[in-house]
């Protein structure tokens, strides 16, 4: 088996497809009259402004023959196959289910007397049928030119796509007294980590699990001899959600997949809950596959954690709402600095390596941003349509301006370093500093005084406590992660889709980061709020 970074890195390639030089995208072929819409750099770099193919639903399948009258049913069958979530009965034909020990009517955790069967005091109708499904896409676009359209074929045919509903099942495949559950948090910090840890522990105890441990400092905790697993209980985690960070600590990278699974086998871990982003989930999926290869009865369940909100197919990930809310403090400070100075310009850099969701939502919610720059939308700093020319106009007309920029935006302007962090991510240059310097040089060249203030609240935003919205999301995600594990599912992650909680196979959500669609209504709303032009 390769190292953990080897398992993660291939999963994180960004889609760099050039629409202008090809008639297909992720296996979908377009007629020539549609290809003409992609011609020119503007169309290409703005992710096909007029037509956006639903790449996440097409990436792993061969080209569709739309002349086949049965293409729609074949697509749906293929989709159902790909989104069928792995279950321990796929490997263990003789796996026996037992009545669930999770029933709120019981009020107290399961005791030893139920060791041979777990009857509840009375029938409870709070379980989820294993055949319940949630509709993945709810908008029926009538035209591929509709704002934000996600189409399977050039005619934008309506195709139903259903995913598994999350929640407690009436039958479970693990006996609580035989479970040793482990929780690990990987990557960077994110508001809500402690909330998820807390709720996983509480829900495990309601099922009757007595052996719950935390793996310290990410995947590294599986191999580092100086790091001991942390016993967890409701008493330990009762108040951890009142502070930010992670009770277990975080880190990037780690040992090989084989070493991790060896450690799990040695410790007797048969439930693993992994909190992390795309890279962490790629590692979790590799662990799941290795456990299956070794025929280990283990449930590996992910909880998507990314402050950038860049996980495919999900409404949002935990920590995002808190990040947007905390960003308001920095934006307001930048506004006050700029508004109080003669020819003041405030610059705020927010997190968002490949996706500009935080910057877009923060700009939209604050109402104080004049220019919002995100990785998905190219821009020029110089030239007649550049950012600097628009800043000059703002200074002349308003007297001040506030710029919000995502960390991954405008990286083409910066010198490449080839440096990478422990997760294999390219270390970016500081676009905020670069814009600050370019503004000063540009205004000095035209002899216009300008007072530029630059604010980078990155670590302040991600280290804070989750707000109420994220607290609710974390609570339900933690509960459903445990329900999924006891139901016998593995190699899955839990998320929220169209306001409903669902289980998704990990490979389908880690193909590449979710991006802001420049033709989406939300980006259009942001542009309406800022009043900014195209900077190209």
């Amino acid at each position: 088996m390769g190292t953990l970074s080897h398992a993660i890195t291939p999963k994180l390639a960004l889609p760099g497809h050039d629409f202008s030089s090809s008639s297909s995208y992720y296996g979908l072929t377009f007629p020539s009259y549609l290809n003409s819409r992609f011609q020119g750099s503007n169309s290409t770099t703005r992710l096909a402004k007029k037509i956006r193919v639903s790449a996440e639903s097409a990436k792993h399948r061969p080209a569709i023959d739309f002349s086949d009258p049965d293409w729609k049913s074949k697509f749906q069958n293929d989709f159902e196959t790909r989104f069928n979530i792995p279950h321990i009965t796929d490997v263990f034909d003789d796996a026996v289910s037992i009545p669930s020990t999770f029933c709120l009517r019981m009020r107290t955790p399961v005791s030893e007397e139920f060791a041979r069967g777990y009857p509840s005091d009375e029938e409870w109708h709070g379980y989820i049928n294993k055949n319940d499904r949630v509709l993945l896409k709810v908008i029926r676009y009538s035209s591929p030119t509709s704002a934000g359209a996600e189409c399977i074929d050039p005619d934008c045919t309506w195709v139903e796509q259903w995913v598994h509903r999350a929640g407690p099942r009436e039958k479970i495949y693990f006996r609580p007294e035989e479970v040793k559950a482990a929780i690990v948090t990987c990557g960077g910090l994110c508001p809500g980590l402690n909330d998820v840890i807390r709720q996983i522990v509480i829900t495990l105890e309601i099922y009757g699990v007595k052996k719950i441990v935390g793996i310290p400092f990410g995947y590294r905790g599986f191999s580092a001899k100086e790091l001991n697993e942390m016993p967890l209980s409701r008493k330990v985690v009762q108040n951890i959600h009142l502070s930010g960070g992670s009770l277990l600590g975080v880190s990037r990278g780690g040992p090989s997949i084989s070493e991790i699974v060896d450690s799990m086998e040695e410790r007797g871990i048969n439930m693993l809950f992994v909190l992390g982003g795309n890279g962490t989930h790629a590692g979790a999926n590799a662990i799941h596959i290795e456990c299956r290869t070794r025929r280990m009865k283990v449930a590996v369940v992910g909880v998507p954690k990314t402050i950038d909100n860049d996980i495919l197919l999900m409404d949002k990930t935990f920590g995002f709402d808190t990040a947007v809310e905390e960003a308001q403090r920095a934006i307001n400070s930048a506004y006050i600095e700029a508004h109080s100075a003669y020819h003041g310009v405030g610059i705020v850099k927010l997190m968002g390596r490949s996706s500009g969701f935080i910057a877009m939502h923060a700009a939209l919610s604050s109402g104080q941003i004049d220019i919002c720059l995100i990785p998905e939308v190219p821009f020029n700093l110089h030239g007649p349509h550049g950012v600097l020319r628009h800043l000059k106009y703002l200074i002349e007309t308003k007297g001040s301006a506030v710029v919000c920029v995502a960390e991954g935006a405008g990286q083409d302007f910066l010198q490449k370093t080839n440096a990478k962090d422990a997760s294999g991510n390219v270390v970016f240059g500081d676009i905020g500093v670069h814009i600050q310097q370019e503004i000063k040089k540009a205004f000095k060249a035209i002899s216009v005084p300008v007072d530029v203030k630059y604010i980078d609240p990155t670590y302040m935003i991600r280290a804070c406590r989750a707000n109420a919205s994220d607290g609710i999301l974390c609570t339900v995600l933690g509960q459903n992660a445990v329900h999924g594990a006891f139901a016998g599912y593995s190699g899955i992650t839990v998320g929220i889709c169209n306001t409903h909680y669902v289980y998704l196979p990990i490979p389908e959500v880690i193909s590449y980061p979710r991006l802001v669609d420049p033709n989406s209504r939300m980006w259009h709303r942001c542009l309406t709020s800022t009043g900014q032009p195209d900077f190209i």
Side-chain angles (χ1 to χ4, degrees):
M1 296 297 294
T3 63
L4 186 63
S5 60
H6 180 268
I8 293 173
T9 303
K11 297 288 185 180
L12 299 181
L14 291 174
H17 190 92
D18 185 351
F19 287 92
S20 64
S21 62
S22 174
S23 61
S24 66
Y25 181 49
Y26 287 117
L28 299 185
T29 304
F30 296 91
S32 58
Y33 79 90
L34 290 177
N35 287 335
S36 65
R37 292 182 179 274
F38 295 126
Q39 300 304 316
S41 60
N42 291 5
S43 300
T44 302
T45 53
R46 289 174 70 100
L47 303 180
K49 182 175 181 180
K50 293 298 182 183
I51 300 177
R52 181 174 181 267
V53 178
S54 181
E56 60 265 33
S57 64
K59 186 173 176 63
H60 300 296
R61 59 184 169 86
I64 299 173
D65 180 9
F66 293 118
S67 63
D68 183 350
D70 296 323
W71 76 263
K72 183 176 176 180
S73 61
K74 290 179 179 178
F75 174 89
Q76 288 175 313
N77 290 336
D78 176 66
F79 180 89
E80 186 174 342
T81 299
R82 289 190 294 110
F83 280 79
N84 183 43
I85 52 182
H87 195 271
I88 64 168
T89 54
D90 299 339
V91 176
F92 300 95
D93 297 333
D94 57 348
V96 178
S97 64
I98 59 176
S100 177
T101 59
F102 181 84
C103 180
L104 299 183
R105 300 281 188 183
M106 298 174 69
R107 301 298 179 191
T108 56
V110 176
S111 61
E112 297 292 336
E113 62 186 281
F114 296 124
R116 294 188 173 276
Y118 303 88
S120 59
D121 294 335
E122 56 184 279
E123 188 176 1
W124 185 54
H125 297 288
Y127 297 114
I128 299 298
N129 189 292
K130 67 178 182 179
N131 295 318
D132 284 359
R133 297 291 186 271
V134 172
L135 192 59
L136 184 62
K137 305 294 183 184
V138 295
I139 299 178
R140 181 169 184 167
Y141 297 100
S142 61
S143 167
T145 59
S146 296
E150 297 179 353
C151 302
I152 304 301
D153 70 330
D155 295 324
C156 229
T157 303
W158 169 251
V159 181
E160 293 182 353
Q161 299 167 279
W162 300 92
V163 292
H164 292 251
R165 185 184 179 196
R169 270 50 173 175
E170 194 168 3
K171 300 291 184 180
I172 59 176
Y173 287 82
F174 289 88
R175 292 184 177 274
E177 71 274 9
E178 297 173 357
V179 169
K180 181 176 181 181
I183 307 170
V184 61
T185 56
C186 306
L189 289 179
C190 180
L193 280 170
N194 282 334
D195 301 66
V196 178
I197 294 169
R198 177 179 183 270
Q199 203 56 223
I200 289 175
V201 171
I202 289 173
T203 310
L204 284 167
E205 286 198 350
I206 290 176
Y207 270 95
V209 178
K210 304 296 183 184
K211 293 177 286 186
I212 310 170
V213 298
I215 305 300
F217 299 105
Y219 288 129
R220 187 186 308 275
F222 281 107
S223 61
K225 290 183 170 45
E226 69 276 12
L227 299 176
N228 298 318
E229 62 186 29
M230 180 187 301
L232 298 176
S233 65
R234 185 171 193 140
K235 184 177 181 180
V236 173
V237 303
Q238 185 61 44
N239 295 315
I240 63 172
H241 63 300
L242 301 180
S243 61
S246 169
L247 171 71
L248 306 177
V250 294
S251 71
R252 300 185 184 277
S256 69
I257 299 301
S258 288
E259 289 175 313
I260 292 174
V261 177
D262 286 344
S263 178
M264 290 174 59
E265 200 166 10
E266 191 178 306
R267 301 169 192 239
I269 294 170
N270 53 7
M271 276 190 190
L272 178 64
F273 299 96
V274 182
L275 284 57
N278 278 316
T280 300
H281 271 67
N285 192 58
I287 293 169
H288 155 71
I289 293 172
E290 178 69 4
C291 288
R292 282 197 154 198
T293 302
R294 300 189 189 188
R295 291 188 59 81
M296 295 168 56
K297 187 182 175 184
V298 175
V300 181
V301 178
V303 180
K305 175 232 69 175
T306 167
I307 204 169
D308 291 349
N309 197 36
D310 61 352
I311 300 288
L312 287 175
L313 308 178
M314 300 180 185
D315 292 356
K316 63 180 177 180
T317 52
F318 76 82
F320 174 70
D321 277 352
T322 306
V324 172
E325 185 174 310
E326 286 298 312
Q328 304 306 303
R329 301 173 187 268
I331 290 173
N332 189 54
S333 296
Y335 173 80
I336 291 173
E337 287 285 350
H339 194 66
S340 301
Y342 178 66
H343 289 177
V345 177
I347 304 171
V348 178
K349 186 184 76 172
L350 299 174
M351 296 184 75
R353 292 183 55 82
S354 57
S355 306
F357 288 102
I358 294 179
M360 177 177 67
H361 282 255
L364 192 59
S365 60
S366 73
Q368 297 174 315
I369 298 298
D370 298 293
I371 299 173
C372 180
L373 305 174
I374 61 175
E376 296 89 340
V377 179
F379 61 91
N380 291 323
L381 284 176
H382 301 276
H385 304 292
V387 172
L388 297 175
R389 176 62 64 88
H390 187 59
L391 270 176
K392 180 175 180 291
Y393 167 78
L394 291 171
I395 292 296
E396 291 172 348
T397 56
K398 291 180 58 180
S400 63
V402 181
V403 180
C404 176
V405 58
E407 62 179 319
Q411 290 298 307
D412 290 342
F413 301 134
L414 307 176
Q415 185 175 357
K416 301 293 187 297
T417 64
N418 296 321
K420 295 184 178 181
D421 63 20
S423 294
N425 300 314
V426 175
V427 177
F428 285 163
D430 196 325
I431 184 63
V433 170
H434 179 74
I435 291 176
Q436 179 188 32
Q437 293 171 343
E438 290 300 304
I439 291 173
K440 289 180 177 180
K441 286 193 293 185
F443 279 85
K444 183 178 180 180
I446 59 175
S447 301
V448 175
V450 66
D451 188 342
V452 187
K453 296 294 192 302
Y454 172 47
I455 299 174
D456 180 359
T458 298
Y459 296 106
M460 294 175 65
I461 286 177
R462 75 177 199 173
C464 64
R465 173 188 173 185
N467 66 7
S469 175
D470 273 327
I472 295 170
L473 178 59
C474 292
T475 294
V476 183
L477 290 176
Q479 291 176 358
N480 281 323
V482 177
H483 295 322
F486 265 102
Y489 298 119
S490 181
I492 64 168
T493 191
V494 59
I496 184 170
C497 177
N498 294 319
T499 72
H500 295 282
Y501 291 86
V502 299
Y503 295 133
L504 299 166
I506 291 177
E508 294 298 330
V509 300
I510 63 171
S511 302
Y512 55 89
R514 175 187 175 211
L515 306 175
V516 172
D517 180 0
N519 192 43
S520 66
R521 287 295 300 127
M522 190 59 75
W523 179 245
H524 292 172
R525 292 167 186 139
C526 185
L527 295 180
T528 301
S529 175
T530 63
Q532 70 191 64
D534 289 335
F535 297 117
I536 49 178

